[in-house]
């Protein structure tokens, strides 16, 4: 069981899970110093950890070991986690320990500056195999904050270090990168006001020798949906660690007397069993501690965007809904262009009422039709944006992010509404509340299609607050909507996967992984996504061939098998699918519903060219192969996590397999059709040790 203890004699704090221990202590000057993050230690072992000392090689070197929250005071020359300036010009914190509280798995350690009337609380919370950390600040005098990270993390001294993270861009999100960590500082960041397609606020570090199923891995993820920054440092002396939190360089905030400043959680995982072990701990954390409805199976979705684009009409939506229902869809979502004067991307955003030409009788006839077909009904919305060509903007041009004397940059023909303004956030909540309540909307696809620019609020005393307050307003609106409409489910979207993080997942049920629905491209996107996020939150559509984005031609079964690895959806133009394709789609949707509990609720193991899910006595394997050179052999898939003494029956062929042999040498799947873009679905059921079936 998770536990938190304090040894008064050594002034050591021990936080322990079933598989790891985290230890820090107070040095002679009351500075909180890191001591251990790794295998489980007893209280006696933790108390016996030596306080590391870094002897000064010269007057140009810094002194002392790694700290739990680095500041600028004294001989500290690494990346500071906390940069503050007091009214008299003093900077940094001279730590004085005030005490601590332990509330179950939540530890709060309190400090005060030796001179300034300024307090810092370091928060730690053990949740399963994950340690969450965050910071609280209070001051009796005005303080300028230049950087306030949620935590600094240190890893043991290793002979080498490798950094894992994801990068990419629009329609190419979550591209996994593993590179040697260079000596110096490596910054992962988003300055866009949103999590971003280009990076994601998680990372992993290992010694360069870890694999999917072996080796030590240290990993962290920030629960924040706005701009963020993580600085990873490898020193010339051989140590490594990182510090991270919300905001980015160049921003400053003002902490007023009596105010409390609280950062988002920065969570950490230690895994002794490789990258797969780290991922499964993250998946468990998201399921058990983050998602609002973790055990609810995600419905099969149909989204009409790729079928009609902006040419939305009541008639074509009803036609698509009828076909979607025949295919077994459970949730029908109408995408953009149902509202205001919206007939393209240049007008209408902000005018959230049904387009009178396209829906002369409002949305009720379509919603009634969808519900009558046995499906739930969802709508696309983009509450944080506005087109200049809209009634809203003409009435409230001051509601957008802007700076005096600067042009208002248009991206995708739209501007960003300033949700840091209470009146704007209140307006957004009211129309969303009315839309959901009056129309019986079951699902919102909440989109965000451009980054912040001219992020100012003329006249505001602390303009940079908007980078934080905007995100918190989004959180608050989502929280209120869910409280007022318990049936409502929300999908997070930002031009695809640009808002994917632990912060948004605490308010939503799934994320739109990428605007790229090409199944071949999705394999890499989903691989990177799965490093931290579980299958049940990974929305994955089956769309047309040739793919609308890449023009790649792939078999329908291949598209389905790739999308079945997450929360399955359909997004093609069903009006153009042949009767044979619609029949095959219906059969594959039915098959997905059979395996859905295993995929969405089970343990995930990434395989060499596929993925395995295990839930109870059921095992599902999805395998695929793209274009390869002629003569390239197909190697067996080595399954994982099975009972080596058990027997497993193939639910489709009746073949019996030994658990040990499925894991080594492995299973050689039959991928169909022959040639490029072949795939298969394998269903196994455990029969127990020594069973003859």
């Amino acid at each position: 069981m998770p536990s938190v203890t304090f040894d008064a004699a050594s002034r050591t704090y021990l936080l322990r899970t079933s598989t790891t221990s985290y230890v820090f202590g107070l040095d002679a000057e009351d500075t909180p110093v890191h001591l251990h993050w790794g295998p489980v230690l007893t209280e006696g072992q933790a108390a016996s950890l030596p306080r590391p000392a870094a002897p000064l090689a010269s007057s140009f070197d810094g002194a002392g070991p790694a700290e739990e929250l680095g500041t600028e005071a004294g001989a500290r020359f690494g990346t500071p986690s906390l940069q503050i300036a007091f009214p008299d010009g003093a900077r940094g914190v001279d730590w004085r320990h005030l005490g601590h509280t332990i509330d179950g798995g939540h530890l709060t350690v309190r400090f005060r500056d030796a001179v300034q009337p300024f307090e810092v609380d370091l928060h730690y919370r053990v949740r399963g195999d994950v340690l969450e950390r965050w910071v609280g600040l209070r001051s009796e005098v005005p303080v300028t904050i230049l950087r306030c990270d949620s935590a600094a993390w240190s890893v043991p001294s290793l002979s080498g270090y490798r950094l894992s993270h994801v990068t990419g861009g629009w329609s190419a999100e979550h591209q996994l990168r593993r590179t040697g960590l260079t000596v110096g500082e490596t910054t992962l960041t988003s300055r866009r006001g949103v999590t971003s397609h280009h990076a994601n606020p998680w990372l992993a570090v290992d010694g360069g020798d870890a694999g999917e199923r072996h080796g030590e891995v240290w990993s962290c993820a920030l629960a924040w949906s706005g701009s963020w920054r993580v600085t990873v440092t490898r020193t010339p002396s051989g140590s490594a660690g990182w510090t991270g939190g919300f905001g980015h360089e160049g921003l400053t905030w003002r902490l007023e007397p009596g105010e409390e400043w609280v950062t988002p959680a920065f969570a950490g995982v230690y895994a002794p069993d490789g990258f797969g072990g780290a991922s499964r701990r993250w998946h468990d954390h998201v399921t058990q501690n983050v998602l609002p409805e973790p055990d609810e199976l995600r419905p099969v979705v149909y989204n009409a965007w790729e079928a009609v684009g902006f040419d939305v009409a009541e008639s074509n939506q009803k036609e698509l809904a009828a076909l979607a229902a025949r295919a077994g869809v459970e949730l029908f979502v109408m995408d953009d262009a149902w509202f205001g004067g919206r007939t393209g991307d240049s007008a209408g955003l902000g005018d959230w009422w049904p387009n009178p030409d396209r829906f002369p009788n409002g949305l009720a006839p379509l919603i009634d039709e969808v519900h009558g077909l046995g499906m739930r009904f969802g709508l696309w919305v983009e509450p944080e944006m506005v087109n200049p060509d809209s009634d809203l903007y003409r009435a409230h041009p001051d509601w957008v992010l802007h700076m005096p004397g600067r042009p208002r940059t248009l991206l995708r023909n739209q501007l960003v509404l300033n949700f840091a303004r209470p009146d704007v956030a209140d307006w957004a909540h009211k129309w969303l509340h009315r839309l959901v309540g009056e129309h019986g909307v079951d699902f919102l696809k909440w989109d965000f299609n451009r980054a912040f620019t001219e992020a100012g609020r003329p006249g505001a005393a602390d303009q940079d607050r908007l980078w934080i307050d905007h995100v918190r307003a989004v959180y608050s609106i989502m929280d209120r909507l869910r409280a007022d409409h318990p049936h409502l489910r929300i999908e997070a979207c930002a031009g695809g996967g640009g808002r994917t993080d632990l912060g948004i997942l605490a308010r939503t049920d799934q994320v739109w992984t990428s605007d790229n629905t090409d199944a071949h491209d999705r394999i890499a996107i989903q691989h990177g996504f799965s490093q931290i996020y579980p299958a049940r939150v990974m929305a994955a559509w089956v769309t047309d061939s040739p793919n609308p984005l890449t023009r790649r031609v792939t078999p329908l079964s291949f598209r389905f098998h790739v999308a079945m690895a997450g929360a399955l959806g359909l997004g093609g133009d069903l009006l153009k699918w042949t009767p044979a394709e619609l029949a095959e789609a219906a059969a594959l949707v039915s098959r997905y519903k059979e395996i859905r509990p295993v995929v969405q609720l089970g343990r995930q193991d990434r395989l060499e060219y596929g993925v395995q899910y295990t839930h109870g006595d059921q095992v599902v394997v999805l395998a695929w192969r793209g274009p390869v050179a002629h003569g390239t052999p197909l190697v067996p898939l080595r399954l994982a996590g099975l009972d080596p003494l058990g027997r497993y029956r193939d639910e489709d062929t009746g073949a019996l397999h030994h658990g040990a042999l499925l894991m080594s040498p492995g299973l050689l799947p039959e991928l169909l059709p022959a040639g490029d873009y072949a795939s298969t679905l394998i269903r196994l059921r455990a029969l127990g040790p020594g069973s003859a079936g």
Side-chain angles (χ1 to χ4, degrees):
M1 292 292 292
S3 65
V4 179
T5 58
F6 175 67
D7 182 76
S10 62
R11 302 211 298 171
T12 300
Y13 294 94
L14 167 63
L15 299 100
R16 189 164 51 188
T17 78
S18 60
T19 59
T20 185
S21 288
Y22 188 93
V23 186
F24 69 98
L26 305 175
D27 68 10
E29 286 75 39
D30 277 359
T31 302
V33 296
H34 176 78
L35 299 176
H36 172 83
W37 185 18
V40 172
L41 300 179
T42 66
E43 293 182 34
Q45 291 167 340
S48 299
L49 286 167
R51 296 295 190 271
L56 292 174
S58 76
S59 60
F60 298 99
D61 293 317
E67 299 177 10
E68 292 292 278
L69 198 75
T71 76
E72 296 178 294
R76 295 176 172 92
F77 306 115
T79 305
S81 305
L82 181 61
Q83 288 181 289
I84 54 175
F86 295 101
D88 62 1
R91 298 176 66 127
V93 177
D94 189 358
W95 302 94
R96 291 297 179 268
H97 183 233
L98 296 179
H100 69 264
T101 58
I102 298 175
D103 181 8
H106 181 189
L107 166 68
T108 305
V109 189
R110 303 187 306 278
F111 297 90
R112 184 179 178 91
D113 185 78
V115 177
Q116 301 285 348
F118 179 78
E119 294 184 359
V120 181
D121 291 344
L122 302 185
H123 292 270
Y124 301 76
R125 181 166 57 190
V126 181
R127 305 180 84 178
D129 281 327
V130 171
L131 175 62
E132 293 179 324
R133 297 176 57 189
W134 68 97
V135 170
L137 307 180
R138 291 177 302 279
S139 181
E140 297 175 19
V141 296
V143 173
T144 299
I145 302 173
L146 296 93
R147 180 169 185 161
C148 183
D149 286 350
S150 298
W153 299 84
S154 301
V155 295
S157 295
L158 305 171
S159 57
Y161 299 95
R162 179 171 55 175
L163 173 66
S164 297
H165 62 107
V166 292
T167 185
W170 174 76
S171 284
E173 303 92 327
H174 305 290
Q175 304 297 310
L176 182 63
R177 299 286 183 265
R178 300 202 198 280
T179 58
L181 182 60
T182 186
V183 173
E185 296 179 357
T186 301
T187 298
L188 311 175
T189 189
S190 167
R191 305 181 186 91
R192 293 170 169 83
V194 70
T195 322
S196 92
H197 306 77
H198 311 79
N200 197 266
W202 80 265
L203 62 90
V205 167
D206 75 297
D209 54 354
E212 191 66 24
R213 305 181 190 180
H214 70 275
E216 291 184 297
V217 175
W218 294 263
S219 181
C220 279
L222 182 68
W224 184 246
S225 309
S227 288
W228 57 272
R229 169 181 52 193
V230 178
T231 304
V232 190
T233 302
R234 180 177 181 180
T235 69
S237 62
S239 63
W242 56 89
T243 179
F246 57 13
H248 57 266
E249 71 284 348
L251 301 181
T252 60
W253 306 292
R254 188 173 176 85
L255 178 64
E256 300 294 345
E259 182 184 8
E260 184 172 21
W261 183 268
V262 180
T263 70
F266 197 13
V269 159
Y270 164 75
D273 47 357
F275 296 110
S279 294
R280 285 185 289 276
R281 286 169 176 81
W282 283 122
H283 297 171
D284 289 346
H285 175 64
V286 172
T287 299
Q288 297 165 11
N289 304 311
V290 178
L291 291 175
E293 299 289 342
D295 298 324
E296 188 175 270
L297 293 177
R298 276 48 179 172
V300 177
V301 175
Y302 177 76
N303 185 291
W305 171 252
E306 290 196 5
V308 298
F310 289 107
D311 295 326
V312 172
E314 182 178 318
S315 57
N316 63 31
Q317 296 300 290
K318 286 183 175 179
E319 289 181 277
L320 289 165
L323 293 170
R326 283 171 49 191
V329 165
E330 298 158 318
L331 168 63
F332 180 88
V333 179
M334 181 163 61
D335 211 278
D336 202 345
W338 59 267
F339 53 90
R342 187 78 162 173
T343 57
D345 68 8
S346 63
L349 273 180
D351 299 339
W352 297 102
W353 53 81
N355 182 301
D357 296 326
R358 298 179 172 200
F359 298 92
N361 298 308
L363 298 180
L366 174 61
I367 296 173
D368 291 344
E369 179 88 4
V370 169
H371 285 161
L373 290 167
M375 298 182 291
R376 285 180 272 176
F377 180 78
L379 277 176
W380 177 94
V381 293
E382 193 171 8
E384 299 156 79
M385 301 293 165
V386 65
N387 288 127
D389 185 2
S390 66
D391 290 350
L392 179 70
Y393 185 78
R394 284 184 282 271
H396 299 285
D398 57 320
W399 278 14
V400 301
L401 301 181
H402 66 285
M403 292 180 175
R406 296 286 186 262
R408 302 183 181 193
T409 301
L410 285 179
L411 297 174
R412 202 175 185 260
N413 295 308
Q414 60 195 54
L415 299 168
V416 182
L417 291 168
N418 184 359
F419 272 33
R421 288 181 53 145
D423 54 346
V424 180
D426 182 62
W427 162 84
H429 173 259
K430 284 179 178 176
W431 74 255
L432 284 162
H433 175 68
R434 184 173 62 253
L435 178 73
V436 173
E438 293 181 359
H439 293 88
V441 173
D442 303 295
F443 179 93
L444 292 176
K445 183 182 180 75
W446 184 308
D447 211 341
F448 181 103
N449 273 310
R450 59 150 292 174
F452 283 15
T453 58
E454 294 84 48
R457 181 183 176 185
D462 192 3
Q463 291 201 41
D464 287 348
R465 281 282 185 110
L466 69 85
W467 292 87
I468 295 171
D469 291 346
H470 181 104
V471 177
R472 286 177 170 163
V474 171
Y475 288 169
S476 176
I477 293 169
M478 288 183 174
D479 291 343
R480 292 172 66 189
L481 286 174
R482 297 194 74 117
D484 293 339
H485 307 280
H487 72 286
L488 179 67
R489 300 295 178 260
I490 303 175
E491 178 178 273
C493 178
R499 188 182 257 168
T500 305
D501 56 80
L502 299 183
I504 205 67
L505 283 174
R507 284 105 186 149
T508 60
D509 303 277
Q510 59 195 51
V511 295
W512 179 225
T513 316
S514 177
D515 281 348
N516 186 345
T517 59
D518 181 315
H520 179 66
D521 287 357
R522 270 297 186 106
I523 292 172
I525 292 170
Q526 294 177 183
H527 180 78
F529 184 96
S530 74
Q531 299 297 313
I532 176 170
Y533 306 111
R536 74 191 72 188
V537 307
M538 185 178 72
W541 293 355
V542 176
T543 61
D544 296 334
S545 180
N547 182 268
L549 178 69
T550 67
R551 309 311 300 167
R552 183 177 280 117
V553 176
T554 54
L556 187 62
S557 57
F558 180 83
R559 285 173 268 152
F560 261 96
H561 288 150
V562 173
M564 283 178 172
L568 177 66
L570 304 183
D573 186 355
L574 300 184
L575 297 171
K576 295 180 180 177
W577 287 23
T578 67
E581 287 174 322
L582 289 170
E584 183 180 1
L588 287 164
V589 168
S590 178
R591 177 55 59 93
Y592 175 74
K593 290 177 181 177
E594 295 174 4
I595 67 170
R596 174 166 51 183
V598 185
V599 171
Q600 294 192 12
L601 305 180
R603 159 194 165 124
Q604 183 188 86
D605 286 275
R606 291 182 291 266
L607 308 178
E608 184 168 350
Y609 51 94
V611 63
Q612 171 192 336
Y613 301 94
T614 307
H615 185 56
D617 64 350
Q618 297 182 72
V619 179
V620 168
V621 176
L622 292 158
W624 41 68
R625 188 156 99 153
V628 295
H630 176 71
T632 302
L634 186 68
V635 300
L637 279 178
R638 300 178 67 178
L639 305 192
L642 305 182
D643 177 4
L645 301 178
R647 303 263 284 180
Y648 293 81
R649 182 181 61 225
D650 188 307
E651 294 283 85
D652 296 302
T653 68
L656 293 178
H657 301 275
H658 292 277
L661 300 184
L662 287 171
M663 293 187 288
S664 181
L667 177 70
L668 192 63
E670 182 181 10
L671 302 181
L672 297 172
D676 294 340
Y677 307 114
S679 61
T680 193
L681 162 64
I682 300 168
R683 300 182 304 152
L684 304 172
R685 187 176 294 271
L687 301 176
S691 173

